[in-house]
């Protein structure tokens, strides 16, 4: 069955462009369009899309609020946020709200389509430039929350090790090669730690790893 996509952007031309790109694919189908967050929430509940392409800055209800309501709602839809460099300050907040990933609005069509498929499959995705900005925020002193740190106590030593490697950007195959185990074994560990920590995907796992201080960004001295 085709992946059902809801496209949300307050600019009609941009929205139509994204919709045309997605709808041209045989395995993807645009089931609706919205020009603001409130309409997006209503359509997500009514249409039950698999993926919501979400703009951030919109009139009325913005994309952050809509993301929180959709991700926490009964539809099961996963949110892929489309952002620009000047909106990077929203990245961490939107991820905490439940977004499954971020992609820059100037991404190539192939990258957009690949991101929709990745998010629909149950994983998460971050554009490299967005990841860099996110890590920079932690390097500038984002606080480690004690309650987040206590969550790691639920993990076995091997699950903590796998979480660290996931947060470092390694695939299951690469983690298996690093640890000397099969990809299937890695997948079992990943699913177990996701279940214990209440995580949906690798994006949330990466956020938690930084949030707990399990992994900290490297900083380069300029003096």
């Amino acid at each position: 069955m085709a992946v059902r996509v809801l496209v949300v952007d307050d600019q009609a031309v941009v929205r139509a462009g994204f919709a045309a790109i997605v709808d041209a694919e045989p395995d993807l189908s645009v089931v609706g369009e919205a020009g603001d967050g409130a309409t997006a929430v209503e359509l997500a509940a009514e249409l039950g899309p698999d993926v919501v392409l979400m703009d951030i800055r919109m009139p009325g209800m913005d994309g952050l609020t809509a993301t929180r309501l959709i991700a926490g709602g009964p539809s099961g839809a996963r949110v892929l946020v489309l952002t620009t460099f000047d909106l990077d300050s929203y990245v961490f907040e939107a991820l905490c709200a439940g977004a499954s990933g971020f992609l820059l609005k100037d991404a190539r069509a192939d990258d957009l389509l690949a991101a929709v498929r990745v998010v629909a499959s149950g994983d998460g995705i971050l554009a490299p430039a967005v990841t860099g900005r996110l890590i920079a925020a932690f390097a500038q002193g984002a606080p480690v929350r004690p309650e987040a740190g206590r969550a790691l106590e639920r993990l076995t030593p091997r699950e903590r090790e796998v979480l660290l490697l996931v947060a470092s950007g390694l695939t299951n195959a690469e983690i298996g090669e690093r640890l000397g185990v099969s990809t299937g074994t890695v997948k079992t560990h990943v699913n177990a730690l996701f279940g214990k920590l209440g995580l949906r995907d690798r994006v949330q796992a990466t956020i938690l790893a930084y949030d707990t201080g399990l992994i900290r960004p490297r900083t380069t001295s300029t003096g």
Side-chain angles (χ1 to χ4, degrees), residues 9 38 40 44 49 53 61 72 76 81 102 104 118 134 136 141 143 156 175 177 180 191 197 209 216 223:
D9 196 293
L53 287 180
M61 181 186 293
V81 173
F102 272 80
L104 298 180
V118 166
L134 179 62
T156 66
I175 293 173
E177 184 176 351
N191 289 338
L197 300 176
R216 299 298 295 177

Side-chain angles (χ1 to χ4, degrees), residues 1-73:
M1 294 180 62
V3 173
R4 296 164 56 82
V5 181
L6 173 63
V7 180
V8 185
D9 196 293
D10 66 324
Q11 298 183 46
V13 173
V14 173
R15 188 169 68 245
F18 286 140
I21 291 171
V22 172
D23 223 19
E25 297 297 300
D27 61 327
L28 305 177
S29 175
V30 174
V31 296
E33 299 180 29
D36 59 79
T39 304
V41 173
E42 293 175 2
L43 289 180
E46 175 186 341
L47 302 174
D50 301 302
V51 177
V52 179
L53 287 180
M54 180 72 74
D55 188 19
I56 288 288
R57 188 174 294 174
M58 296 181 290
M61 181 186 293
D62 63 20
L64 292 176
T65 303
T67 294
R68 185 175 296 106
L69 292 173
I70 293 173

